[in-house]
Amino acid sequence: MKPVPLRTDEAPSKGFPAHGLVAYSGRGRCLYCEATGPFNAELVQVMARDMLGLFAQMAEGGPWVHLARFHVSALASPETLAQFSAFLADLNARGQVPEASAYVLPSEVEGAYLMARHFQRCFEAAGLVFAAFETDDAARQWLASRHPELPLG
């Protein structure tokens, strides 16, 4: 898949503005994400509305993995996490989910330790494979060890 940059701040906001930024790009069989928080439920709504095509495109190409790196803050409200969990469950029902997702939550990111557990619960509730790491290298090694056949780009 050729790189397809897609950012949540490029989507028109309807009603209350989305807080946070999620930027996706695909390289090889890995969907990379740069996420800058804190996040609100409106951001998840933008993702659900405008990112489905990207997830479908990744799934059409065969197995893939997801690597997200967080910046500034990882904080999200319980409402936001509930929306995110529902979004993941919808992707799973559509068959548009990665083989595994790795989040990079460096210790300097606000709420990194706390939110890693919450993100884990969201992925588990949707029946998806997930792990959180403090470094890019650890996340990439984990993904590569689980799926050595997939080029990570």
Side-chain angles (χ1 to χ4, degrees), residues 68-153:
R69 186 172 204 300
F70 285 73
H71 305 274
V72 182
S73 175
L75 294 178
S77 69
E79 175 190 8
T80 303
L81 292 168
Q83 289 245 355
F84 183 61
S85 190
F87 172 63
L88 292 174
D90 180 54
L91 287 174
N92 197 9
R94 294 170 183 260
Q96 298 173 346
V97 291
E99 299 294 311
S101 293
Y103 278 15
V104 179
L105 292 153
S107 59
E108 67 270 11
V109 169
E110 179 185 31
Y113 178 74
L114 170 73
M115 294 309 297
R117 292 179 289 162
H118 290 293
F119 292 137
Q120 178 76 42
R121 287 186 197 118
C122 291
F123 278 85
E124 284 177 357
L128 304 177
V129 177
F130 170 84
F133 303 90
E134 282 196 40
T135 67
D136 292 335
D137 285 343
R140 290 174 73 73
Q141 287 174 6
W142 180 78
L143 287 171
S145 72
R146 294 188 63 83
H147 300 284
E149 75 284 3
L150 299 179
L152 299 182

